[in-house]
Amino acid sequence: MKLSSLTFNQIGIVKAVHGDDLSLKLFEMGLLPGEEVALENVAPFGDPIAIRVGEYKMCIRLNDAEQIEVSLKESN
Amino acid sequence: MKQEITVALVGNPNSGKTSLFNALTGLNHKVSNFPGTTVEKKIGYSKLNADTQAQVIDLPGTYSLYPKSADEVVTYDILRNKAETNFPDVVLFIADASNLKRNLLLLTQVADLGVPVILALNMVDLAERKGIFYDQAVLSEQLGIPVIAINARNKTGLSKIKSLLLDESRQVKKSYFDYTVAGDELLNEICDITDKKNPYAALQYAINISSFNNPKAKQINQSFAKHQFNIRSFQENEILSRYRLIDDAVRSSRKIKENTVVKNISQRADKILTHRIWGILLFLGLLFMVFQAIFSWSAYPMDWVEKGFALLTEWIETSLPAGVLNDLIVHGILAGLSGVMVFLPQIIILFTFIAILEDVGYMARVGFIMDRVMRPFGMNGKSIVPLISGMACAVPSIMASRSIENKKERLITMMVTPLMSCSARLPVYTLLIGMLVPETAKWGPFNVHGIVLMIMYLLGFGAALLSAGVFKLAVKSTGSNYFIMELPGYKLPVWNNLLITLYEKGSAFVVGAGKIIVAVSVILWALASFGPREKMRAIDEKYAVIAQTLATDLPIEELAAQKNAEKLQASYAGEFGKFIEPAIKPLGFDWKMGIALLTSLAAREVFVGTMSTIYSVGGGDQAEDLNAIKERMLNEKKSDGKPVYSMAAIISLMVFYAFAMQCMSTLSIVLAETKNWKWPVIQFIYMTALAYFSSLLAFNILS
């Protein structure tokens, strides 16, 4: 699934990031394959969203979040 | 013997770099610009021991050495070039311990450039509250560099930093990335082309300039092509392998205390502050408060500044012998200076708010909230800060656009920011609105003055958005336009940092804008004081005769004021007014307003002063003067007996001042930021055209 369709209380694990410039920037910012991500806030107009990456919070637009593939972490 | 070492302070944004810089150097620092840029360069001095001092350079925060924004480029340019005068002997790297992994990426890149690095681990307390504990010795051993825990906010760990900076044995111990995957042949070629010895530094430099219009770029790209070197996959590989190494170092030095109850105050605050209803209401409420503060709190200090300058002017005017020099100092230099200084209170108040909101972490949320609104107009959430600050002064606001990574979005932001009604337009609006409606007029519980004023501000904002929309279509897009931004945890502001920031911004404004305003004021003073000799002499003689024969019952002051008015009309400025009258007549302006349009180029509020000269108001106190100007302007009749200042003409004039580019300081700062003459020229033309045609429209509809 895509990061953009993650809902609150779900934890995703990054599988792949598409887009050349975008993926490089995201890698530099610590959003790497294997890393856990979670949705934390949605901006008032529905876009962008704030996600938790590693130990910090990052803001990303929905169309960029669509470029990030994640798999759901089994919750227990 | 005195010894000095150069220390560069490097780190991610939001890692506490400014706090550490201030803690190390205090007020013992100076702010200038990095050569060829307007990026602030802060150099401070810190005494390490009796005979060594450190020259500390604060470099703009960046996430990696593949820079993406204008201020990140500065950091990269200093660290890559050993011949650079500011090239450091040692890098003091500050990292946020509560978010260590991402911070260390940059550290490994910097170390691989061959500069000795010391790691200052900041915000350890924050990490410990999250249940994360670091063993500094293990981390130091893993990374191969000295590590010290500090707290930049309450200045703990400073003495340890100082003694480490004194340690001469610092050297680079290991490499964090195996760049040889790029291939020896390519690396040799690139080292030759870029004239560098360190292969990693050479390759990194080559990658960074390969997409620019650099004389070496062609050679580099040929070499890349020859060796089938793919920049993108090399960079990806570099980052991922650095992170693998960092992961190991962090994992082996970190202990996580399980079951720590994390009170995530920031997350709770964000639930409200970015809420779809509360978030917007709070933002608007805050904006309103800032607005109120700028206009109501600043009234007294602005008054003091004005009164102070009035006293100084009077003193100089009477103590220096009368003549051209006296006139130049009083009406040229001092008038220009007071024009700058009077806005200092408003600017300080605005900067106080911006600095606090920035420090607390709220500004990033403003960007987050507003991004969706700004996007259709070719800007992003970060553009909102320059636009809001533009209501005080466009000059520092345009500098604040530097953090916008996307070049197109940044350019559009700079181009439209001057449309926001700045504080220099306020005196003009005040005078003109006062001529339009009586001060006491009410509309329900609201003061009509205030409402009209708000409409003027909204007009500016609307024009800024629309113009941005047009630029979006016209400007070529370069680079990708993602909007990725860290939303740092909320923190209490550090008051010491705040005071230092205010001091820096205030003095930068006075010196930066002041230089230009004073220069332009002097030129305009000359234009307004001198004219064709014949005419000027005729006026002198006429008034000499009047004075001698006392053929008038006007008081002396009044007489002098009338003489000045006639002289202004005969001066080169007056000639200019008459010269452009045919062009501005369709807008409802006469040649006297033409003079004011010219003198407004020094600063828009000079309009008021010019009007008081033209309508020969002198002496008396200011409030009385303002009423006198208003009255005389309103009594001015055209040859057909109709008033010059009809409602249509006044509104047309207000619209003109709202849109026209009349600020030399802004144009010069746009030139400095874009380094291209094209942009200030385009800005001047489009804003003036917008002003002209809007006024034309307004005047013709209303009259």
Side-chain angles (χ1 to χ4, degrees):
Chain A
M1 72 187 281
K2 288 167 178 166
L3 174 62
S4 51
S5 46
L6 211 61
T7 57
F8 290 112
N9 304 320
Q10 284 183 330
I11 292 175
I13 294 167
V14 178
K15 278 162 60 186
V17 184
H18 304 292
D20 276 3
D21 288 347
L22 178 71
S23 62
L24 203 63
K25 171 76 181 172
L26 286 170
F27 286 175
E28 285 177 359
M29 298 291 283
L31 193 144
L32 309 161
E35 205 61 49
E36 287 185 5
V37 285
L39 178 67
E40 295 221 322
N41 302 94
V42 177
F45 300 102
D47 185 16
I49 55 172
I51 54 171
R52 176 138 305 265
V53 183
E55 291 149 328
Y56 79 102
K57 188 188 275 202
M58 182 174 93
C59 137
I60 185 169
R61 287 176 178 170
L62 280 181
N63 61 344
D64 293 328
E66 276 172 20
Q67 303 290 315
I68 302 168
E69 280 180 48
V70 297
S71 58
L72 270 189
K73 189 183 174 185
E74 296 299 316
S75 54
N76 38 21
Chain B
M1 206 190 89
K2 272 267 180 194
Q3 242 196 340
E4 190 173 272
I5 59 166
T6 304
V7 179
L9 201 54
V10 181
N12 283 181
N14 306 309
S15 56
K17 219 160 46 64
T18 311
S19 295
L20 180 59
F21 180 79
N22 289 340
L24 279 172
T25 68
L27 263 182
N28 186 12
H29 71 267
K30 51 176 189 271
V31 184
S32 58
N33 291 340
F34 286 103
T37 69
T38 55
V39 176
E40 263 169 26
K41 171 183 180 181
K42 292 207 280 185
I43 293 190
Y45 298 90
S46 182
K47 210 171 162 179
L48 300 180
N49 66 14
D51 41 34
T52 314
Q53 77 166 357
Q55 183 197 44
V56 187
I57 306 175
D58 188 16
L59 294 181
T62 176
Y63 291 107
S64 102
L65 284 187
Y66 295 110
K68 305 197 171 42
S69 70
D71 37 3
E72 289 179 353
V73 171
V74 169
T75 301
Y76 175 66
D77 275 344
I78 296 239
L79 293 177
R80 71 174 170 80
N81 189 358
K82 289 201 168 160
E84 162 78 42
T85 43
N86 292 310
F87 186 80
D89 297 308
V90 54
V91 164
L92 179 56
F93 192 95
I94 179 158
D96 172 0
S98 69
N99 182 14
L100 193 57
K101 259 163 59 177
R102 195 203 63 208
N103 279 255
L104 291 183
L105 174 74
L106 177 64
L107 176 125
T108 66
Q109 283 182 325
V110 173
D112 278 343
L113 288 181
V115 206
V117 180
I118 293 170
L119 172 60
L121 213 50
N122 195 17
M123 305 189 216
V124 176
D125 51 335
L126 208 69
E128 290 180 354
R129 250 179 279 148
K130 286 188 188 171
I132 304 168
F133 295 83
Y134 286 101
D135 185 326
Q136 287 166 49
V138 179
L139 188 62
S140 169
E141 149 115 33
Q142 286 280 324
L143 292 172
I145 53 173
V147 177
I148 340 147
I150 62 157
N151 186 335
R153 299 186 136 233
N154 63 22
K155 304 188 182 184
T156 49
L158 287 194
S159 54
K160 273 189 264 171
I161 288 183
K162 288 185 179 177
S163 58
L164 271 177
L165 289 176
L166 281 168
D167 184 1
E168 300 275 342
S169 68
R170 53 176 176 253
Q171 52 176 298
V172 190
K173 293 198 178 92
K174 67 189 265 187
S175 162
Y176 300 88
F177 166 61
D178 182 16
Y179 50 80
T180 54
V181 291
D184 288 341
E185 265 178 68
L186 173 74
L187 287 170
N188 286 336
E189 264 183 49
I190 294 294
C191 281
D192 284 345
I193 297 173
T194 59
D195 210 12
K196 283 180 187 298
K197 289 199 187 74
N198 178 332
Y200 173 69
L203 188 59
Q204 196 187 45
Y205 178 63
I207 290 173
N208 279 326
I209 65 168
S210 64
S211 57
F212 288 117
N213 204 358
N214 184 295
K216 284 179 179 168
K218 202 176 158 199
Q219 265 179 294
I220 288 167
N221 284 319
Q222 277 169 355
S223 178
F224 282 171
K226 191 171 105 195
H227 297 277
Q228 293 175 334
F229 175 75
N230 183 324
I231 296 179
R232 162 79 183 100
S233 56
F234 173 82
Q235 283 178 305
E236 182 177 323
N237 171 42
E238 172 183 345
I239 294 165
L240 293 178
S241 71
R242 284 183 191 281
Y243 266 119
R244 274 194 293 276
L245 191 143
I246 291 166
D247 224 28
D248 290 342
V250 167
R251 231 181 268 273
S252 55
S253 57
R254 179 178 66 182
K255 281 197 187 66
I256 295 182
K257 200 166 121 197
E258 296 291 337
N259 306 324
T260 310
V261 186
V262 182
K263 272 200 248 163
N264 201 335
I265 299 169
S266 285
Q267 177 51 18
R268 266 191 241 167
D270 266 345
K271 281 266 181 267
I272 298 165
L273 292 173
T274 66
H275 186 268
R276 72 196 149 87
I277 296 163
W278 301 125
I280 292 176
L281 284 181
L282 280 164
F283 171 59
L284 292 178
L286 201 69
L287 212 58
F288 183 74
M289 207 183 81
V290 172
F291 230 125
Q292 280 294 310
I294 291 177
F295 294 120
S296 57
W297 298 356
S298 63
Y300 289 104
M302 285 175 88
D303 199 40
W304 299 332
V305 174
E306 273 177 350
K307 287 221 170 83
F309 266 97
L311 283 177
L312 185 67
T313 305
E314 203 184 300
W315 181 72
I316 292 183
E317 200 169 13
T318 49
S319 56
L320 272 183
V324 179
L325 184 67
N326 184 323
D327 214 35
L328 168 68
I329 293 175
V330 171
H331 297 291
I333 297 170
L334 274 181
L337 265 182
S338 79
V340 186
M341 296 301 288
V342 78
F343 290 108
L344 198 58
Q346 287 191 333
I347 283 172
I348 296 270
I349 292 173
L350 182 80
F351 277 137
T352 308
F353 276 105
I354 291 180
I356 293 177
L357 294 179
E358 193 99 52
D359 222 19
V360 169
Y362 184 71
M363 269 311 181
R365 271 71 183 184
V366 174
F368 179 62
I369 292 171
M370 293 301 288
D371 180 58
R372 187 68 194 83
V373 181
M374 308 306 284
R375 216 182 302 168
F377 303 103
M379 296 186 276
N380 74 35
K382 287 182 187 170
S383 310
I384 201 77
V385 178
L387 288 182
I388 292 174
S389 332
M391 294 191 296
C393 178
V395 174
S397 316
I398 283 169
M399 293 190 219
S401 70
R402 258 177 238 141
S403 61
I404 300 172
E405 291 172 356
N406 182 277
K407 279 194 189 136
K408 179 179 171 178
E409 289 172 337
R410 176 165 178 241
L411 184 68
I412 294 178
T413 307
M414 290 194 282
M415 292 303 274
V416 305
T417 295
L419 281 172
M420 300 298 289
S421 276
C422 66
S423 50
R425 287 167 171 112
L426 193 61
V428 182
Y429 291 161
T430 309
L431 175 69
L432 293 175
I433 294 174
M435 292 167 62
L436 215 51
V437 277
E439 219 161 303
T440 48
K442 294 263 178 189
W443 186 73
F446 303 105
N447 181 305
V448 178
H449 257 205
I451 296 174
V452 179
L453 193 61
M454 205 173 90
I455 293 173
M456 294 311 294
Y457 278 88
L458 290 177
L459 198 65
F461 184 59
L465 285 188
L466 288 180
S467 311
V470 175
F471 276 112
K472 184 192 174 191
L473 300 176
V475 178
K476 253 200 335 244
S477 184
T478 48
S480 46
N481 58 342
Y482 50 70
F483 177 59
I484 288 164
M485 180 176 67
E486 181 177 359
L487 296 174
Y490 291 101
K491 294 182 207 80
L492 285 174
V494 182
W495 300 109
N496 185 36
N497 286 351
L498 188 72
L499 288 177
I500 291 177
T501 307
L502 288 182
Y503 167 75
E504 286 166 5
K505 300 266 179 188
S507 48
F509 169 78
V510 170
V511 175
K515 269 192 295 204
I516 294 156
I517 295 183
V518 169
V520 177
S521 307
V522 169
I523 294 171
L524 291 173
W525 164 82
L527 285 178
S529 316
F530 302 106
R533 199 166 291 166
E534 308 286 289
K535 283 188 188 172
M536 297 305 249
R537 195 187 295 149
I539 295 170
D540 277 337
E541 281 166 5
K542 176 180 155 195
Y543 278 89
V545 172
I546 296 176
Q548 262 173 12
T549 56
L550 291 172
T552 169
D553 37 322
L554 286 174
I556 294 177
E557 267 180 19
E558 193 80 345
L559 202 63
Q562 264 187 19
K563 181 180 166 187
N564 282 339
E566 270 191 52
K567 274 199 154 176
L568 177 60
Q569 293 172 13
S571 70
Y572 292 117
E575 301 227 314
F576 173 83
K578 286 178 197 140
F579 173 72
I580 63 162
E581 190 173 31
I584 55 176
K585 208 164 187 177
L587 313 183
F589 304 168
D590 67 354
W591 62 272
K592 293 178 181 173
M593 290 183 232
I595 299 178
L597 293 186
L598 176 70
T599 56
S600 290
L601 287 177
R604 290 177 176 95
E605 76 277 10
V606 173
F607 174 83
V608 180
T610 306
M611 280 297 159
S612 65
T613 311
I614 294 178
Y615 288 98
S616 60
V617 184
D621 79 284
Q622 294 217 317
E624 231 171 78
D625 276 2
L626 210 58
N627 282 329
I629 305 172
K630 266 186 228 169
E631 213 170 288
R632 289 190 196 182
M633 284 168 77
L634 285 172
N635 285 334
E636 176 97 353
K637 296 278 190 295
K638 280 191 243 178
S639 48
D640 59 3
K642 287 186 189 149
V644 172
Y645 290 91
S646 62
M647 187 187 80
I650 295 173
I651 291 179
S652 164
L653 199 55
M654 292 204 316
V655 169
F656 192 87
Y657 269 82
F659 296 156
M661 169 41 83
Q662 299 166 294
C663 180
M664 292 295 151
S665 322
T666 303
L667 289 174
S668 70
I669 215 77
V670 171
L671 175 63
E673 291 285 337
T674 58
K675 284 182 228 130
N676 188 342
W677 276 101
K678 194 169 115 188
W679 297 115
V681 169
I682 290 178
Q683 190 171 48
F684 181 79
I685 294 174
Y686 102 83
M687 284 181 65
T688 309
L690 179 66
Y692 189 88
F693 290 108
S694 309
S695 290
L696 188 68
L697 201 66
F699 184 69
N700 283 298
I701 289 175
L702 293 168
S703 62

